[in-house]
Every structure is written in structure tokens, then in C-alpha cells.
Amino acid sequence: LANAESFVRRNADFVIEFQTDVNFGPAVMNQFDTAGIKVAAIDIPMPNATFFGANNPRSGFMGGSYLAQAAVAEYGADKVAQGYLVVGELPQSGAIPAMRTGGQVAGFQAELPNFPADHILKIDTKNTLQESFQQMSNLIGRIPAGVPIMVTAINDQAATGMLRAAQQAGREADTIVVGMGADETETLAKEPRFVASVGYFPERYGNYLIPIALATLAGKALPPAVLVNHVMVTKANICEFYPDTACAKDAKVLDYKFPQEA
């Protein structure tokens, strides 16, 4: 609110807004609406603002289906059927980001429709590595020894915390992780059990947001939502997106097929 008031006092023409608690949106937007300031909201929708960010259902579905295919390739279908899917959620951010973690579960189930529902476990990550680590540490003792632990989460930081908990518990060999964001490039490149992540490319967001701002100020009509294009980033292709990170030449490459009909 203090930031919003500061922008109003300085007569900002346009505001790019990003904060992770959906409950604060109306109060923040009231400041801007009263002042007639147009807004683009990143990832968490704000009333009367142009939404820019993830295609949450599709990106989640990509990650979940990739995780299922990678787990079957790693452990075999019979063993995967005995395993557990653990999803790191972010309830505080509301319904739109929940479509991401919901999509992860839906994508996983599209590949493995008979996977037991009571083997799908969810934790609240609070959007931090530390909380994800703690909650996964609390949970992992409930998972029988020797079965696959298939991990995905709202973002790479949460997924990394969950992987660290599995490592500390001595369960790394049982664990396979697919992240969200592809912005923890060192983790993706170096951690053997972190096999892939769905690319969001936040470093490119300005290439969308500045044209959105300029078009709005010029009076151009915009759709209510502008969405990112997502791709799967793996150890084998990470250098194509982040040239400072080397591709692993000997990495196993999953012949991933997006389940378009599902």
C-alpha cells in the first residue's frame, strides 16, 4: 500500500505490479483506480488490471505429464504405481496460480489415469525454499521406503527445497523432480534427480510488459490476459535458452510427448 501511494503521489502514468498475496489486490488497485493509473499485474490477477504471466493450466499440465513420463522411464510403470506424487502448492496466491498446481496433477493423471488418489500429497510451500524443505521433511516419513517420490511444485525454488529434504532424509535415489520456471539453472544443470523444468523466462517479461504499457497509454485495446509461451527445459537443451549454462552431452533425453488431446 505504501508503494502504491508513492506511485500515486509521483503521478505515475502506468504501474507494473507484482505481489504474491491475492487478498491485497483490491486494496492496492483501489489506489490506482482512484488516481486513474493503468496497471499490468504479473502472475497474480488484480481487479481492472491487464493480466500478464504464466499460462498456468497449460504449463502445469506440461510439467505434470512430463513428470509422469520421466518417472515411468526411470522406475517402470509397476513401481511408479506404488509411488507418491508430492505437489508443492501456494494457496495464498489464489485461484489463478492454483491452476498451475492443479494442472500438474491433471497432467500427471492424464498419463497415469489409474494412479491412486490417496498417493497424491500436497504441501503449502509459502513460496520459499525454506518452508518447502520443512514441509517436505515433515511429510517424507509418511512415504514407505523404496517407492518412487515424484515431486513438482509452484516454482523451482519450492521444488529445490523439496529435493533438499529428500536428500537429507536419504531418499534421493527414490526421488524425481520436475520444476516450474527453469530459473534455478544451476540446480537443473547439476542435480541428477532434478530432471526438467517448465520454462517461464521471467528475464523476457519486459519484452511483453513495456509494449503492454505503451499500447495501453496510446489507447489501444488489449485482451484481458497476455500469456507466456512455455517449453520444457532439460539438461540436454538448457544451453539453448541460457547460453552461460552448459548442456549435458551425456544426459538421458526423454522422448516427451505433450498429451494434447487430454
Side-chain angles (χ1 to χ4, degrees):
L1 285 172
N3 281 317
E5 291 165 2
S6 174
F7 291 138
V8 171
R9 283 198 306 272
R10 288 182 284 164
N11 299 312
D13 297 301
F14 191 91
V15 169
I16 296 169
E17 167 70 19
F18 180 45
Q19 56 86 27
T20 62
D21 195 318
V22 70
N23 296 305
F24 289 107
V28 171
M29 282 302 298
N30 183 57
Q31 302 268 353
F32 298 137
D33 288 341
T34 300
I37 298 172
K38 299 296 186 183
V39 177
I42 300 176
D43 278 343
I44 315 298
M46 307 270 282
N48 302 322
T50 298
F51 175 86
F52 170 76
N55 185 337
N56 283 299
R58 183 176 180 89
S59 61
F61 205 91
M62 288 174 69
S65 57
Y66 191 101
L67 178 58
Q69 292 180 29
V72 170
E74 177 74 13
Y75 301 111
D78 291 344
K79 196 168 183 182
V80 166
Q82 302 169 29
Y84 285 75
L85 171 65
V86 187
V87 183
E89 298 184 315
L90 185 60
Q92 72 188 44
S93 289
I96 301 301
M99 292 180 178
R100 184 183 310 176
T101 48
Q104 290 166 328
V105 174
F108 188 89
Q109 291 176 317
E111 293 293 331
L112 300 170
N114 297 319
F115 191 79
D118 60 351
H119 284 210
I120 300 174
L121 308 177
K122 300 174 182 179
I123 62 172
D124 181 359
T125 69
K126 297 288 194 298
N127 206 37
T128 70
L129 187 152
Q130 293 81 4
E131 183 69 16
S132 304
F133 172 85
Q134 185 61 54
Q135 294 302 322
M136 186 69 177
S137 296
N138 295 341
L139 175 73
I140 201 163
R142 293 166 47 191
I143 299 175
V147 303
I149 304 171
M150 294 153 285
V151 169
T152 191
I154 190 73
N155 58 29
D156 275 359
Q157 291 74 31
T160 300
M162 295 163 75
L163 173 60
R164 297 282 178 259
Q167 291 169 330
Q168 181 166 297
R171 303 292 297 275
E172 182 173 8
D174 297 335
T175 304
I176 187 167
V177 181
V178 171
M180 281 278 147
D183 47 10
E184 292 288 326
T185 53
E186 184 174 353
T187 300
L188 177 55
K190 295 183 178 179
E191 288 287 354
R193 310 312 299 168
F194 202 116
V195 296
S197 188
V198 180
Y200 284 60
F201 310 110
E203 71 280 0
R204 304 179 188 176
Y205 279 17
N207 298 338
Y208 297 82
L209 288 161
I210 300 305
I212 287 171
L214 294 174
T216 301
L217 293 172
K220 306 285 188 184
L222 286 172
V226 180
L227 303 178
V228 175
N229 292 320
H230 301 281
V231 299
M232 292 304 309
V233 182
T234 69
K235 290 173 170 53
N237 68 5
I238 190 171
C239 59
E240 298 173 19
F241 306 104
Y242 297 104
D244 291 340
T245 303
C247 287
K249 296 178 181 178
D250 58 348
K252 291 190 294 185
V253 179
L254 178 70
D255 184 20
Y256 172 64
K257 294 181 175 58
F258 179 75
Q260 183 63 45
E261 185 176 348

